Amino acid sequence: MALTWTGCSSPEEAVITDTTAPPVEAVQARRGGLPLSERLSGTIRADNQVVLYPEITGRIAEVFAEDGDTVKTGEPLVRVNDDQVREQVRQSEAGHRISAARLRQAQARLAEAEAQARRSAELNARNLVSDLEYETLAAQRESAAADVELAEAELEQAAAGLAERRDLLSKAIVRAPVNGIVGSRRAEVGMQASPAAPLFTLGDLSNLHVRVNLTDAMIGYIEVGQSANLIVEDFLGDTEPLAGRVARISPFLNEVTRSTEAEITITASDSRLRPGMFLPVDILYGESQQATLVPTSALFTDPNTGREGVFVLTGEPLDPAAVQQRPDALSAPRDVEFRPISVIARGAQEVAVAEVNATDWIVTLGQDLLSANARTQARARPVTWSHVMELQGLNREDLLLEVLEATGRDS
């Protein structure tokens, strides 16, 4: 049924004669498959994102990096006061030298004892010394050998202690473990540093990813390689999806929550993204069976029965061409009925349903006006799917303004 005008020679001069039926917007349903998606909450993280802690306790003497600085692996970030550790290193070096000197003394005594034992053995073979003297010199040689082994062990122990102190001294300077950008600076000169207090967060902001939690049921249909859409909101409140891909899924589930962690790589860069941001993520894991599709805004829950359904215009179909002639025009009063439906699959903006034909015209805006007074007729404005999708993307304030403007044009 085409749009009805009276007393007009052109669409611009058309006047609607019957204004008792409420105005609504309607779109024609369509046939197709619905992408199946799972909406999750994700947190953005930078690649190689790490929190840096000092490995020794002490007051911070110098800070070499500020928030936003780009650093390379090995660059110094913070120096903790190391006077006490340096003194310990000097003591260890002195102990090492003492142990080395003791070893040389022991080695000299061993050499002397071995020489005396050799001479005693030769004289004993010619019966020039007694067996007792020979055995005494042999015992002295064994004792000197034991002193050498002891001195070698002491030197090894002193060397290990010196290496430990030198390693501790090197830890007084906190260095960047990876390339990245410095952020979340908590280090200040004079403050007490300890291994329990973080100093910086460091990460590669040129490569970001999103971490989400998957339940044990989701692991059955969400797999590595599937596409994902990241819903990003700008400063005006508008949202747009960014493309991503499921890169990794941990095979281990948390024993308490029965969930695991998945990582989604972001294939398109966006300057609005920052590590730590929270955002919705739609993981696309397949497509539903072919069915009739209607916009999510068409769904209405009957307050009397609690049944979910849609309002369908009955009778002759609307003429979509009329919207090109006069987009603001309304049809003559049309019969409308509430039809309960069964949802086959839900998408972000579309729903696959049964009990509706692909040729039916479905009310997408104005259902409350029909339900409030049990209306059985409506004046319909045929709209396109793109128009409905745009309205569904608006926030509540923008949508209210859109409705008020449309009502003002119709009055």
Side-chain angles (χ1 to χ4, degrees), residues 127-371:
N127 295 320
L128 297 177
V129 297
S130 65
D131 291 342
L132 176 60
E133 184 178 356
Y134 168 72
E135 292 174 358
T136 300
L137 291 174
Q140 290 176 353
R141 182 191 59 190
E142 292 299 324
S143 177
D147 289 342
V148 169
E149 290 183 5
L150 179 61
E152 288 176 342
E154 289 177 347
L155 180 61
E156 185 177 347
Q157 184 179 42
L162 177 58
E164 181 181 2
R165 293 293 185 271
R166 286 175 173 170
D167 180 64
L168 193 62
L169 180 61
S170 69
K171 293 177 180 178
I173 297 181
V174 180
R175 300 180 182 274
V178 295
N179 296 340
I181 296 179
V182 175
S184 302
R185 170 182 162 173
R186 304 175 184 88
E188 298 293 342
V189 174
M191 70 176 285
Q192 184 74 11
S194 72
L199 300 177
F200 294 99
T201 299
L202 183 64
D204 181 5
L205 270 63
S206 62
N207 294 301
L208 301 176
H209 61 267
V210 180
R211 291 187 179 178
V212 297
N213 288 324
L214 305 180
T215 64
D216 51 357
M218 295 177 188
I219 297 177
Y221 52 86
I222 294 181
E223 302 174 351
V224 172
Q226 290 174 341
S227 299
N229 289 328
L230 287 68
I231 311 303
V232 183
E233 184 175 296
D234 62 18
F235 67 97
L236 295 176
D238 297 330
T239 59
E240 58 179 297
L242 284 178
R245 183 179 61 83
V246 179
R248 282 174 285 277
I249 298 177
S250 172
F252 301 101
L253 271 67
N254 185 288
E255 295 180 358
V256 177
T257 63
R258 306 301 177 188
S259 64
T260 189
E261 193 172 67
E263 183 177 304
I264 298 173
T265 57
I266 304 173
T267 56
S269 61
D270 193 300
S271 59
R272 294 170 295 176
L273 301 181
R274 289 290 184 273
M277 283 179 60
F278 173 86
L279 78 171
V281 178
D282 291 331
I283 298 180
L284 310 178
Y285 60 89
E287 185 173 280
S288 70
Q289 65 189 60
Q290 292 290 307
T292 300
L293 303 181
V294 299
T296 55
S297 60
L299 300 182
F300 184 80
T301 301
D302 189 333
N304 298 319
T305 64
R307 288 293 306 275
E308 187 176 42
V310 293
F311 285 96
V312 180
L313 299 179
T314 59
E316 188 176 349
L318 293 174
D319 181 9
V323 75
Q324 300 178 357
Q325 299 176 354
R326 185 171 177 181
D328 295 338
L330 295 171
S331 72
R334 300 291 307 273
D335 292 336
V336 62
E337 67 175 16
F338 179 76
R339 188 176 300 174
I341 51 91
S342 300
V343 176
I344 299 174
R346 294 181 186 270
Q349 291 192 309
E350 300 170 286
V351 181
V353 300
E355 294 87 24
V356 175
N357 297 320
T359 56
D360 289 338
W361 284 81
I362 311 298
V363 175
T364 59
L365 187 63
Q367 298 97 318
D368 290 334
L369 300 176
L370 297 172
S371 175

